[in-house]
Amino acid sequence: MRQSFDETTDPSFGAKHLPRVRAAMAEQGLDGLLVPHEDEHQNEYLPAANDRLAWLTGFTGSAGAGAVLTDRAAVFADGRYTVQVRAQVDPAQFEILSLENDGVAAWLEKAPKGATIGYDPRLHSPDALASLKRAVGKAGAVLKPVEINPVDQAWGDERPQQPTAPVVPHDDRYAGETSASKRARIGQAIREAGADAAVLTAPSSIAWLFNIRGGDVIRTPLPLSQAIVAADGTARLFLDPRKVTNELPGWLGDAVTLEAPEALPDALDRLSGRSVLVDPGQSSAWYFDRLEAAGATVVRAM
């Protein structure tokens, strides 16, 4: 089953791309690298620009992972993709293993002692990262967050552009409730949790809350974006300006501020001293790390 990668994948991807990734790893002093299928929004289905696992390995399934060391590498897939992964991935470059039963973690327990294994905190949930850290610790190795993902560095100018599908209103008669009403309810939930704000990163949650639709993700009409919702129901929506249609600002109203994604890190830093709700199942470890470094109190909320 083909998923989202624009270029036809084939088993030669590993032979072409693995050396480039290992060179980028070496530049950062890394002995290994974790390559999850998920992207910055923890999506299952990805735009081509975020399909790092497919670019590296050729595997285009919707559930999988990769791990690279200096002398070996592995691809992990679940039972749905047993035939597909073997057709798309070169077994001379990657060991092909099962994703089930803590597949990645079990493999990492055999990592070289003293190895430094990089990970992109934007791509891992806190819970998933915790199990990987335990596995690496058993091997006597360490996990190290990276600022620049070695896959992105190796991909370079060949990487597709991020999607810029227009974001449009989703009429209240189809949504069943206005965005203002939803934001008021979310604000009340924030207050009841003793918090000041909530950070949203899941495209489905943002599409629902603001009654908007997009086209950044295959099979679902979702916009890739982030939001910060305050306890009073006001919100900041971080959206690529190229996606903003003429009708969108008026649809969102004065209580929602549209900002570019580049403004998000500073917005998180400004939550210093505040209590902030974040869902560990839908938001990556990067948000938790950034908020804690800024001096915010992070409340895990599902």
Side-chain angles (χ1 to χ4, degrees):
M1 181 189 301
R2 185 168 173 75
Q3 299 299 339
S4 64
F5 205 67
D6 288 343
E7 184 180 358
T8 300
T9 60
D10 62 65
S12 69
F13 272 32
K16 292 187 291 188
H17 298 161
L18 256 180
R20 292 160 60 176
V21 171
R22 284 182 169 133
M25 287 164 45
E27 288 183 20
Q28 298 191 38
L30 301 175
D31 304 300
L33 178 68
L34 302 178
V35 186
H37 170 267
E38 292 80 11
D39 68 356
E40 290 85 341
H41 301 269
Q42 297 295 296
N43 283 321
E44 179 180 4
Y45 298 111
L46 311 176
N50 294 350
D51 212 341
R52 296 171 175 90
L53 185 63
W55 178 82
L56 175 62
T57 69
F59 175 57
T60 60
S62 65
V68 180
L69 296 174
T70 56
D71 60 347
R72 65 185 189 274
V75 173
F76 304 83
D78 69 20
R80 293 173 294 171
Y81 298 108
T82 300
V83 174
Q84 177 179 332
V85 69
R86 295 187 181 279
Q88 291 183 316
V89 176
D90 182 0
Q93 303 295 328
F94 295 93
E95 187 178 5
I96 299 174
L97 301 169
S98 173
L99 188 64
E100 285 93 358
N101 300 317
D102 298 323
V104 179
W107 192 83
L108 287 173
E109 288 180 4
K110 301 175 184 177
K113 186 176 182 179
T116 299
I117 299 176
Y119 72 94
D120 188 335
R122 296 168 179 81
L123 310 182
H124 297 267
S125 71
D127 291 343
L129 195 57
S131 67
L132 297 175
K133 286 181 177 179
R134 287 194 295 270
V136 168
K138 289 182 180 179
V142 295
L143 278 185
K144 178 183 178 182
V146 298
E147 287 289 332
I148 300 174
N149 191 313
V151 172
D152 297 349
Q153 185 178 343
W155 205 343
D157 294 338
E158 299 172 10
R159 185 181 181 187
Q161 295 295 311
Q162 289 290 329
T164 56
V167 176
V168 297
H170 184 61
D171 197 273
D172 293 344
R173 59 179 169 163
Y174 303 120
E177 183 181 4
T178 67
S179 175
S181 173
K182 293 177 181 179
R183 285 186 282 104
R185 291 199 290 118
I186 295 297
Q188 180 179 354
I190 292 171
R191 295 192 301 273
E192 290 176 353
D196 302 294
V199 173
L200 303 180
T201 64
S204 57
S205 297
I206 291 170
W208 173 84
L209 178 60
F210 295 101
N211 286 349
I212 55 177
R213 296 294 185 266
D216 292 335
V217 181
I218 63 170
R219 296 181 174 83
T220 47
L222 301 178
L224 298 185
S225 53
Q226 300 89 6
I228 299 175
V229 183
D232 63 1
T234 61
R236 303 170 70 176
L237 177 59
F238 300 88
L239 187 66
D240 188 323
R242 293 173 294 179
K243 302 179 187 180
V244 178
T245 53
N246 290 335
E247 67 268 35
L248 187 61
W251 173 257
L252 293 172
D254 294 338
V256 179
T257 304
L258 278 170
E259 302 183 47
E262 293 77 16
L264 178 61
D266 181 67
L268 295 175
D269 292 345
R270 290 179 179 274
L271 292 172
S272 176
R274 306 289 183 87
S275 180
V276 184
L277 300 179
V278 190
D279 186 343
Q282 295 189 318
S283 297
S284 68
W286 180 83
Y287 292 92
F288 292 78
D289 295 343
R290 186 87 189 199
L291 288 165
E292 288 170 357
T297 299
V298 179
V299 179
R300 295 189 174 209
M302 302 296 288

